[in-house]
Amino acid sequence: MDTQTRGERPPSGSYPPRAALADAWDEHRRYVGFAAGLFAVGILIGIALMAAGYNLLEIIQEALGQPLFPDISGQSRAELAQFLLLNNSRAFILSILGALTLGLLTAWAMLFNGVIVGNIGAYIASEVGIGYIVVGLLPHGIFELPALFVAAGVGFRLLYRAGQRVRGSRDAIFTKAYVYRTAVLVLAAWLLLLVAALVEAFVTPALLETLFAGQLEGASAAP
């Protein structure tokens, strides 16, 4: 039975956080990979839509009647970091709670965000160059995306455990050890979001201004 394969150890001194994190990753990594796969498929769809002439940013903004992203130009770097962390934390929590929708909300979040990133990325790359996309996304993306994939993986794994309980192959959806090790994994992933927000607010703008100032001026001056 699956409940025994994880060595359901109690959340005590005999189950230190490092061991709990390793066990949690071993339990969730397939589901994290599935979430990353959905995101990658979304990116390909977004790029294909841009190649076909569909700028989703403009389409969505026209449908909503307002900008898709709020104006944050007047904020300080600290305020920007706080905004980014709050915004990403909402997506993080919703990806976990998506298990309550049979995983549909979680899957949609991964796929939709991938489509938006792919579509907008393809547009910006065509205007400024792919180097701008790499510098603009990679420094914080290496922290932010894994964190969101972990959150989605937790949601998918929770749904799977519920399915096992319904089928009778698991005695309980939740055990103390499962809650403990999953909480350690979720906390570790959220800390990655914190690092991502700081990098995106303080490091990414400086890199873009330093490396692409000329290209940005040229793009803004273009008719």
Side-chain angles (χ1 to χ4, degrees), residues 28 31 92 94-100 102-103 106 149-161 178 182 186:
H28 289 88
Y31 304 90
F92 185 85
L94 286 176
S95 294
I96 297 174
L97 296 181
L100 300 176
L102 300 181
T106 303
F149 296 156
V150 166
V154 169
F156 288 135
R157 175 60 182 170
L158 180 58
L159 177 64
Y160 184 76
R161 286 176 68 99
Y178 166 73
T182 303
V186 168

Side-chain angles (χ1 to χ4, degrees), residues 87-149:
N87 190 57
N88 288 333
S89 293
R90 291 195 187 103
F92 185 85
I93 294 171
L94 286 176
S95 294
I96 297 174
L97 296 181
L100 300 176
T101 65
L102 300 181
L104 295 178
L105 178 60
T106 303
W108 169 252
M110 292 296 103
L111 190 63
F112 178 76
N113 284 328
V115 170
I116 294 299
V117 169
N119 192 260
I120 295 177
Y123 170 75
I124 296 177
S126 66
E127 294 292 317
V128 187
I130 193 170
Y132 184 90
I133 295 298
V134 173
V135 175
L137 294 181
L138 186 61
H140 71 272
I142 58 176
F143 301 106
E144 180 181 315
L145 291 180
L148 295 176
F149 296 156

